[in-house]
Amino acid sequence: MKINNYNQIKRTLPPEVKLVAVSKFQPVENIMTLYNVGQRCFGENRPLELRDKHVNLPKDIEWHFIGNLQTNKIKYIISYVSLIHSIATSNLMLAVDKEAEKVDRVVDVLIEFHVAREESKHGFSIKEAKQFLASTEFSNMKHIRIVGVMAMASLTSDMDEVRTEFKTIKSYFDELKNLYFADAPWFKKISMGMSHDYTIAVEEGATMVRIGTAIFAD
Ligand SMILES: *Cc1c(COP(=O)(O)O)cnc(C)c1O
């Protein structure tokens, strides 16, 4: 990896936008290289890989989970994870709430939206999200706190399409904020933008970007 890539990205990001360094598949040495220049927030997408890294790395690292989460693997991350970006269904929300209760935590999560063209991507539709947020099932969940939204744009070189999708995500955030979180100052995070599209995401209102390749590739 080249520390220059990291420094360059840090310089171009507005100070209020949080950088999640996506360290999936990266050895602990590379994580330590960034840690030693001050990076504290890392994103992983596999529960067991995250668990092993959490065990072996400094305890002041803020670990974010950004991948597909199977309900039987929540237990490997629930006691220390800082933020789960990728809550793509109400069933997963319920399962995380249950596991968080077992370890006596309230865990911060994001609602993942499906806005991309690819069917393979996961996430709520705006209709599903509203149904969920209005449900008693949700009001009974005492061990999760919804702090914002997350989504991935389509994997395409059509940057107009990508920008349109980021605008959609921002509009979903605004709509949910008005309808359900007007009195909830913690509902303020918009996680969008990856290596190839984060500058557009920031222009469209991202408060958090998730960058892997652009930091770690040689
Ligand atoms: C891998 C991954 C990223 C980072 O992607 P890069 O293109 O390597 O920056 C961001 N978000 C999610 C959900 C990912 O799985």
Side-chain angles (χ1 to χ4, degrees), residues 20 22 24-25 44-45 66-68 85-86 112 150-152 155 191 193-196 209-215:
V20 182
V22 176
K24 62 191 187 196
F25 314 130
E44 291 282 336
N45 71 345
I66 62 169
N68 254 339
H85 291 232
S86 42
E112 180 172 1
M150 176 270 206
M152 291 166 89
L155 193 59
S191 167
M194 303 165 40
S195 290
H196 65 287
V209 291
R210 311 177 307 269
I211 302 180
T213 318
I215 293 176

